[in-house]
Amino acid sequence: MSEATPILEARSLVKILGGNRVLENVSLDIGRGRVKVLIGPSGAGKSTLLQCLNFLIPPDSGHILLEGREVEKTSKRELCAFRQQVGMIFQDFNLFDHLSALENVRVALMKVKGMSKLEATERAVAELKRVGLADKATLYPANLSGGQKQRVAIARALAMDPKVMLLDEPTSALDPELIGEVLTVIRDLAQAGMTMILATHQISFSASLADEFIFMERGRIVEQGSPADLLARGAQSRTQAFCSKISELTGESGQSGQSGESGQSGESGQSGESGKAGAERRL
Amino acid sequence: MDFSVAFNAARESLPYMLGGVGWTAGLIIGAMLLGLTLGVPLAVTQVYGPRPLRRMVAVYVWLFRGIPILVQLYIFYFGLLAWLSSLPGLTGIGLDSPFTAAVASLGLTSSAYQSQIFRGAIQSLPAGQLKAARALGMTDAQAIRSIILPQALRLAIPAWSNEYSILLKDSALAFTIGVVEIMARMRSIASTTHEPVSMSFVAGIIFFALTWIGVKGLTLLENKVRIAGYTRQGAV
Ligand SMILES: Nc1ncnc2c1ncn2[C@@H]1O[C@H](COP(=O)(O)OP(=O)(O)O)[C@@H](O)[C@H]1O
Ligand SMILES: [Mg+2]
């Protein structure tokens, strides 16, 4: 990762919300084509961190750099230009409810990128095809399943040609049987070289994908390293302790709808092959 | 009361009474549109504007909701508009007509109420809508125009049609400054025919019909712009 300037870099982010130090001096960076996974207990500050990275929540102090250039957050113009280059996927999709799937993907292409309707439509159709929803283009969000909504949201973000994608627990709001279709899209993206920061509880899936795990707790980055190192048997890492707790919890419910194999081996998720196998089963 | 006399009087009065419908309709349409044109930006300012502007909107709303329309009619007709139309360049353009004064006071009052309808609708939208729009690089103005208002205005239609029926009844006050709408005609014909009961009956039916037509029309509009499967979230 040292070979080039990071695509996105955060330096010493601090965020105080309601008197709580929700982010306590958080720094991270991510290089082109890398995938970093944020894990940690609920309330750790993952969502706040991701939203600080594109100023949806303005950090109280700290700096954000895109390809080595600091984002001047006081300039609204620069902020909008910056956000175009940073795709964001939300836990609860946030599709525009009054627009069809196609219009959801198209609206920012026309309003923000100034594309003609024809051009924008072509691009939107291509992006919907990429997430396997070409045939749902005319449907409104209320008539899409959760998994389909999240895939439309991904298509909407991809259409802007982002340099990096931030994904905040993209499958947490989904019924178990719908998680797989979204994970497939995310894995395809990673394989196509998209740079991503992903907050998730899907440990085995993300272990197969991530270059780095970042473990957060109480607004701080507590551990970071390759999934293989952090999850290795006997690693004694906080990450491993947390992940085995999750897999105990999800071992029954999370895997029950799957192929019927015991979830434990895949979920406690060593790394590499067994992690991948776990991911395959989910899909 | 001789029923057939009353009935004949009512029937004979009908053309004259119906002549007021144009004035009443003009008052309501003018006031609804004035209220809409001011109400939407007032609501947007009150939700998204900087604090001092939000305060000013709150004062505006409080003022126009607090002053009775009857009082405003007098202020506009005998005071403000009479004075304005005496200014050089503003004479002779109808600023001092009773109709203008009535549309102004009904419309400004309605803008205060309408702004609260739209504010409620905007605030009922999930916060994620604006976040998602911003995350795509939209400016707040773009997000409000393309994402927030199209949803909020749809949600506001039922309350808006309620505002229509209230305005329709308020518009009857315009007779006090001499707009020859339905109410004014009812009063004058009642005093010449000495048939106040049948005349008020006719006026009542006309007002009721106008209410029905307007509310029906807005329900049709609501259904026409309804989005598949999108249910109202108890916004208004
Ligand atoms: N608007 C807010 N006011 C006060 N505290 C908040 C607010 N938003 C989030 N928090 C707190 O910030 C902490 C981090 O939240 P969040 O970033 O959502 O964590 P995570 O995504 O890791 O679950 C939590 O303790 C939460 O209660
Ligand atoms: Mg979260």
Side-chain angles (χ1 to χ4, degrees):
Chain A
M1 196 174 3
S2 53
E3 80 276 4
T5 342
I7 296 247
L8 190 66
E9 184 179 354
R11 289 187 189 152
S12 317
L13 297 184
V14 174
K15 184 69 199 180
I16 297 165
L17 281 170
N20 294 341
R21 297 182 78 84
V22 177
L23 291 182
E24 184 84 75
N25 214 23
V26 173
S27 299
L28 61 82
D29 59 55
I30 184 161
R32 188 179 304 279
R34 293 286 163 149
V35 175
K36 297 206 176 191
V37 169
L38 283 178
I39 48 181
S42 172
K46 305 179 295 295
S47 299
T48 309
L49 172 58
L50 287 173
Q51 295 188 51
C52 278
L53 289 178
N54 67 354
F55 295 100
L56 282 185
I57 299 176
D60 293 321
S61 69
H63 308 271
I64 310 278
L65 292 84
L66 184 72
E67 298 182 308
R69 252 193 79 243
E70 175 155 9
V71 182
E72 188 46 67
K73 65 181 168 197
T74 51
S75 155
K76 283 190 176 156
R77 237 181 112 161
E78 190 169 328
L79 209 53
C80 290
F82 166 68
R83 284 180 181 147
Q84 279 181 59
Q85 303 174 68
V86 180
M88 180 120 204
I89 300 300
F90 301 88
Q91 186 173 338
D92 41 8
F93 330 123
N94 292 340
L95 288 189
F96 304 131
D97 291 318
H98 64 304
L99 299 178
S100 69
L102 180 80
E103 290 163 339
N104 259 279
V105 182
R106 192 173 63 185
V107 62
L109 293 177
M110 291 165 64
K111 305 286 172 196
V112 178
K113 293 216 157 182
M115 283 188 187
S116 71
K117 190 167 185 175
L118 195 69
E119 226 181 335
T121 305
E122 266 173 27
R123 181 66 199 267
V125 167
E127 291 302 339
L128 285 175
K129 199 178 264 172
R130 179 164 165 188
V131 298
L133 290 174
D135 57 329
K136 306 286 185 216
T138 57
L139 294 189
Y140 284 91
N143 295 333
L144 295 170
S145 74
Q148 291 167 340
K149 282 187 215 177
Q150 194 59 293
R151 286 189 282 154
V152 172
I154 292 173
R156 179 175 72 177
L158 288 176
M160 302 301 285
D161 290 319
K163 292 183 171 145
V164 53
M165 293 267 279
L166 311 174
L167 301 94
D168 189 4
E169 301 200 34
T171 59
S172 292
L174 297 177
D175 292 335
E177 74 273 19
L178 301 177
I179 291 175
E181 63 190 66
V182 172
L183 293 185
T184 308
V185 170
I186 294 172
R187 196 181 42 184
D188 289 349
L189 268 183
Q191 280 166 358
M194 176 58 74
T195 311
M196 294 194 278
I197 303 177
L198 164 69
T200 185
H201 291 298
Q202 300 286 324
I203 304 299
S204 58
F205 167 78
S206 52
S208 72
L209 211 70
D211 298 294
E212 188 171 81
F213 269 16
I214 298 172
F215 185 77
M216 282 187 77
E217 205 168 36
R218 293 200 202 95
R220 296 169 190 271
I221 293 180
V222 181
E223 278 177 355
Q224 57 194 116
S226 77
D229 289 346
L230 290 180
L231 296 176
R233 267 188 220 291
Q236 301 279 328
S237 64
R238 299 283 285 279
T239 309
Q240 197 203 26
F242 176 73
C243 292
S244 55
K245 206 162 83 190
I246 289 190
S247 62
E248 269 169 38
L249 293 173
T250 58
E252 295 142 31
S253 60
Q255 297 271 314
S256 60
Q258 313 294 327
S259 59
E261 286 177 57
S262 147
Q264 292 308 83
S265 65
E267 275 292 3
S268 58
Q270 285 66 38
S271 47
E273 286 318 304
S274 77
K276 279 210 165 72
E280 298 301 347
R281 271 206 315 282
R282 290 185 159 279
L283 313 171
Chain B
M1 186 171 77
D2 184 335
F3 185 76
S4 70
V5 170
F7 183 78
N8 279 333
R11 208 180 50 193
E12 278 159 22
S13 77
L14 206 56
Y16 178 68
M17 296 278 262
L18 284 175
V21 168
W23 287 100
T24 297
L27 286 175
I28 309 166
I29 292 170
M32 284 299 272
L33 290 182
L34 180 58
L36 177 70
T37 330
L38 295 174
V40 170
L42 285 170
V44 168
T45 307
Q46 207 176 7
V47 178
Y48 300 112
R51 194 181 294 266
L53 281 184
R54 293 202 311 249
R55 286 243 171 81
M56 283 167 64
V57 173
V59 170
Y60 175 96
V61 169
W62 176 76
L63 210 68
F64 277 99
R65 289 210 290 203
I67 303 177
I69 288 177
L70 210 47
V71 176
Q72 285 186 52
L73 283 169
Y74 275 58
I75 293 175
F76 277 102
Y77 184 53
F78 297 108
L80 212 52
L81 291 177
W83 173 72
L84 270 181
S85 66
S86 72
L87 296 180
L90 291 177
T91 40
I93 54 171
L95 268 186
D96 55 350
S97 79
F99 181 78
T100 314
V103 167
S105 39
L106 289 169
L108 292 174
T109 300
S110 186
S111 75
Y113 284 99
Q114 289 191 41
S115 73
Q116 297 314 292
I117 292 173
F118 299 133
R119 182 176 70 119
I122 291 171
Q123 286 175 332
S124 77
L125 298 176
Q129 296 287 308
L130 185 61
K131 271 193 178 173
R134 283 175 172 160
L136 288 165
M138 288 193 194
T139 62
D140 282 10
Q142 286 170 332
I144 289 165
R145 223 178 16 242
S146 322
I147 306 301
I148 302 300
L149 286 181
Q151 296 185 55
L153 293 181
R154 280 180 169 90
L155 293 176
I157 294 175
W160 209 65
S161 95
N162 190 43
E163 176 64 15
Y164 165 84
S165 62
I166 292 172
L167 255 182
L168 180 59
K169 284 156 215 158
D170 286 347
S171 76
L173 292 171
F175 86 86
T176 55
I177 55 170
V179 180
V180 284
E181 44 69 72
I182 299 163
M183 182 73 184
R185 285 164 192 251
M186 181 199 92
R187 282 168 55 91
S188 80
I189 206 170
S191 68
T192 53
T193 60
H194 304 290
E195 286 286 349
V197 177
S198 51
M199 293 310 136
S200 58
F201 199 69
V202 172
I205 289 175
I206 296 176
F207 275 117
F208 179 80
L210 287 176
T211 307
W212 188 84
I213 290 167
V215 170
K216 198 77 188 161
L218 285 167
T219 308
L220 286 178
L221 175 70
E222 188 190 358
N223 289 331
K224 194 170 157 57
V225 299
R226 170 169 292 154
I227 295 152
Y230 185 53
T231 48
R232 205 180 308 142
Q233 299 143 342
V236 276

